[in-house]
């Protein structure tokens, strides 16, 4: 199993697959695409209208990881379901958080 995290300029790049207009906000674990790419599955109740879903994703990830909202920035896929976010700040904390998500999936 690979991680949706990879090193990037100025921080870590996080691959995210977003489902908007969901029944609840949740970090739903990992998603593996048909090509084998792994991303973090995120569900938000916000609609993809005027950046509302993107703001909801950043807020949810900030809350789940314990990092400030300012630590997350969308670097690609702003209008797409699959996005890449630059995560700045404490890389050890981000890796530990991602490790807990990967371990939760293995136990399921």
């Amino acid at each position: 199993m690979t991680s949706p995290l990879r090193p990037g300029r100025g921080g870590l790049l996080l691959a995210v697959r977003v489902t908007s207009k969901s029944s609840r906000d949740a970090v739903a674990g990992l998603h593996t695409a048909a090509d084998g790419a792994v991303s973090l599955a995120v569900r938000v109740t916000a609609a993809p209208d005027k950046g509302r879903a993107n703001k909801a994703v950043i807020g949810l990830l900030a809350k789940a990881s314990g990092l400030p909202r300012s630590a997350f920035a969308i670097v690609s896929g702003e209008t797409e379901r699959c996005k890449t976010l630059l995560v700045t700040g404490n890389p050890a904390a981000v890796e530990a958080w991602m490790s807990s998500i990967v371990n939760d999936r293995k136990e399921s």
Side-chain angles (χ1 to χ4, degrees), residues 1-100:
M1 174 74 49
T2 61
S3 172
L5 282 175
R6 65 183 191 275
R9 180 175 282 174
L12 294 170
L13 295 174
L14 174 63
V16 178
R17 183 174 188 271
V18 178
T19 302
S20 58
K21 297 193 294 184
S22 179
S23 61
R24 64 186 176 95
D25 292 340
V27 176
L30 298 177
H31 171 77
T32 304
D35 65 358
V38 176
S39 57
L40 183 64
V42 176
R43 295 183 181 136
V44 293
T45 57
D49 181 44
K50 298 180 183 171
R52 288 186 183 109
N54 289 340
K55 288 178 185 174
V57 167
I58 289 173
L60 179 62
L61 292 176
K63 185 177 179 180
S65 67
L67 294 171
R69 293 172 76 102
S70 60
F72 296 89
I74 298 174
V75 294
S76 70
E78 194 164 315
T79 60
E80 305 295 324
R81 172 177 234 178
C82 294
K83 305 174 185 308
T84 301
L85 281 74
L86 177 66
V87 185
T88 57
N90 183 351
V94 175
E95 289 173 352
W97 170 62
M98 191 56 55
S99 209
S100 71

